[in-house]
Amino acid sequence: MILILADWRFRVDVEATRIRTTQNASDHCECAYCKNYYDTVEMAHPKLRPFLAEFGVQIAGPSELMPFEPTLMLACYRVQGQILEWGETELFVGGVPIVPEAEDDDTFLLWVGELEVPWVQEERPEDVVSPANLPEFMDRMREMWSLRHGQEILFS
Ligand SMILES: [Zn+2]
């Protein structure tokens, strides 16, 4: 189906996207950072789930989930389809930026965030053991941040 958002036009295979992101949702990282995102994102950003659902995307099924900080996340959702027309309008859903990116002929990405979520896990965020704590991941996060903001991130 064709989805139009402002001056953007997408062709989306909703069913294939639903299947793919449902698989992701049943097989996602269980570290406390990711768990915290799944526990809180719908409550903190109620407009996000219905928005993603238009693409067939399950909110609990990102391809990648990246914590800049434990409560400041960037989520990447993979959609089966194509960006037919690149808009100039910056897309936001409930204040959260949505940045589409072509991946290959059959898929594109929706970068969601950054978005803030409250921390609701029992363990303290600084005690979390996660792939997201590995130095190479942190390097990647700094790189993503400077790509998105043109500046270095200062991790607290
Ligand atoms: Zn995780």
Side-chain angles (χ1 to χ4, degrees), residues 19 45 48 57 60 65 70 81 86-87 89 105 108 134 142 144:
I19 290 167
H45 302 282
L48 206 49
V57 167
L65 200 49
W86 289 80
T89 307
D105 290 348
F108 64 91
L134 295 172
R142 287 196 181 86
M144 290 290 294

Side-chain angles (χ1 to χ4, degrees), residues 29 31 34 130:
C29 174
C31 83
C34 296
S130 160

Side-chain angles (χ1 to χ4, degrees), residues 28-35 38 65 67 73 128-132:
H28 56 57
C29 174
E30 307 212 337
C31 83
Y33 294 143
C34 296
K35 183 171 186 310
Y38 300 122
L65 200 49
M73 306 293 288
V128 170
V129 176
S130 160

